Amino acid sequence: MIALIESLSLGRGPKRVVVKDTIDVAGYPTRAGSAALSAALPARRHAEIVERTLAAGYRIVGKANLHELAFGMTGLNAWTGTPENPRFPDFIPGGSSSGSAAAVAGGFADVGIGTDTGGSIRLPAACCGLYGLKPTFGRLDRRGVLPATSSLDCVGPITQNLEELISFMTAVDHNFISARQGQTPKLAWLQVDADDFIQGAIEQSLSRASLPIEKARLPLLTEAYGAAMVVINRETYSAFAELLDSGRLGADVERRLEAAGKNTDAELQEAEAVRLAFTEEVDRLLEFHDVLVLPALPHAPLTLRAAHAGQQDLTVSALLRPFNLSGTPP
């Protein structure tokens, strides 16, 4: 199913983990699913998240496939092959952490470690019918993760169930469980644009929750999506622009990377202003609510056939990407 780029055997624990191939594992190259990085030397040391995972008693069984350079939402990869979506084979696996999600959905791992710069954990988790967490920015250390510098990217898990996700996060971050555990959470149900069948599913779930719920809005949500696109474009271009001369990038990533280089300093400055304003907006809402509830996706993901035909849909991350800008977990 091409979920894994390489099989590994590190650690002795019963719980199996796969690690996205943007994350360093000592003795193995980090190629980010790109032919342009095929000659990368083996990493000299484990990334911090790999160290913590092994120290917590997990067993790493593979490096997971991904959308090339973690710069795409479909999960398609012409060089390594595209991971199959085990539960919904007619649809994309989602990107960029496609292999991490596919390996868990296919039963090859209990935990898939991915990275999320604009929805890249949460989208493939949703596409494959799993749980995915983008933690608060900086909660899990990014040392040893490609690209080395990012103001948006977060490391986090994908699992089959919520209990497994909580168990993993508690094991690798001893401060994960909030001091407010045990209290009745107050929910803010964010009013967003999404297809009726998705909104209906959210409403049904909330009606069964028997928790305090208030409807709420984030007026800057759409602007935050656009601003996050500018920031990721500038930071990804800064990290990988030199690969444009290699002639070895996939066509979709090459086009997107070239376009990313056209974002101006003025656009970045405006995006940073939106970042501040949107973060303040989210923080104000969280002063009175413990949880912000909204769909992961505004509409169904692309079919695999449409994606292979060249169709793109970055708006599938419209309800995910803004929270990379604010740094908060949605």
Side-chain angles (χ1 to χ4, degrees):
M1 60 181 293
I2 323 178
L4 301 183
I5 290 176
E6 194 152 16
S7 295
L8 308 178
S9 183
L10 300 174
R12 297 178 177 273
K15 295 290 186 176
R16 302 158 298 158
V17 177
V18 296
V19 178
K20 186 177 181 177
D21 193 33
T22 53
I23 299 172
D24 285 349
V25 176
Y28 297 87
T30 302
R31 298 187 177 116
S34 179
L37 296 176
S38 60
L41 296 175
R44 294 184 176 182
R45 57 169 296 172
H46 293 320
E48 179 66 20
I49 185 60
V50 172
E51 293 277 12
R52 291 192 183 195
T53 298
L54 292 172
Y58 287 83
R59 178 164 50 99
I60 295 178
V61 297
K63 294 208 81 174
N65 202 353
L66 66 151
H67 198 118
E68 184 179 5
L69 300 183
F71 200 37
M73 306 303 292
T74 63
L76 270 61
N77 191 311
W79 184 56
T80 57
T82 299
E84 176 187 333
N85 185 332
R87 293 183 175 176
F88 308 102
D90 291 335
F91 291 88
I92 58 171
S96 62
S97 305
S98 52
S100 300
V104 172
F108 296 102
D110 301 291
V111 179
I113 300 177
T115 61
D116 191 312
T117 318
S120 288
I121 287 172
R122 295 159 290 164
L123 173 60
C127 288
C128 295
L130 303 169
Y131 288 84
L133 174 67
K134 179 201 80 67
T136 303
F137 183 79
R139 174 175 278 281
L140 293 181
D141 199 312
R142 287 190 72 258
R143 281 179 291 180
V145 177
L146 193 71
T149 301
S150 174
S151 66
L152 302 174
D153 192 41
C154 302
V155 177
I158 297 172
T159 62
Q160 291 265 13
N161 57 69
L162 194 56
E163 291 74 19
E164 189 78 72
L165 189 150
I166 293 171
S167 178
F168 177 79
M169 284 298 299
T170 304
V172 298
D173 177 8
H174 300 314
N175 296 317
F176 177 68
I177 298 299
S178 167
R180 303 176 77 171
Q181 187 184 24
Q183 297 181 11
T184 301
K186 299 176 182 177
L187 310 186
W189 180 13
L190 294 184
Q191 305 302 287
V192 299
D193 291 329
D195 286 353
D196 289 345
F197 79 96
I198 294 175
Q199 297 281 34
I202 296 289
E203 188 168 2
Q204 236 180 16
S205 295
L206 290 175
S207 68
R208 296 194 297 265
S210 301
L211 294 170
I213 302 170
E214 290 182 4
K215 291 183 178 181
R217 292 187 181 275
L218 288 171
L220 290 175
L221 188 71
T222 301
E223 284 185 61
Y225 167 79
M229 288 294 297
V230 171
V231 175
I232 190 176
N233 283 345
R234 285 295 293 259
E235 293 185 347
T236 304
Y237 185 80
S238 177
F240 298 121
E242 62 184 24
L243 300 182
L244 285 169
D245 297 328
S246 70
R248 305 199 68 190
L249 290 175
D252 64 325
V253 170
E254 184 171 43
R255 284 193 301 269
R256 192 175 173 200
L257 195 57
E258 285 176 342
K262 297 176 182 177
N263 283 119
T264 66
D265 290 344
E267 288 172 327
L268 182 61
Q269 186 175 3
E270 184 178 343
E272 291 296 352
V274 173
R275 188 203 294 256
L276 290 174
F278 180 66
T279 301
E280 290 175 0
E281 192 172 86
V282 173
D283 287 347
R284 282 197 299 272
L285 201 53
L286 289 172
E287 287 179 9
F288 304 99
H289 302 86
D290 302 298
V291 179
L292 308 185
V293 179
L294 72 164
L297 310 183
H299 51 256
L302 286 174
T303 64
L304 198 58
R305 183 175 181 178
H308 278 302
Q311 190 172 333
Q312 295 287 329
D313 180 21
L314 293 178
T315 63
V316 75
S317 66
L319 305 179
L320 303 173
R321 194 177 300 272
F323 298 97
N324 292 89
L325 197 70
S326 65
T328 43

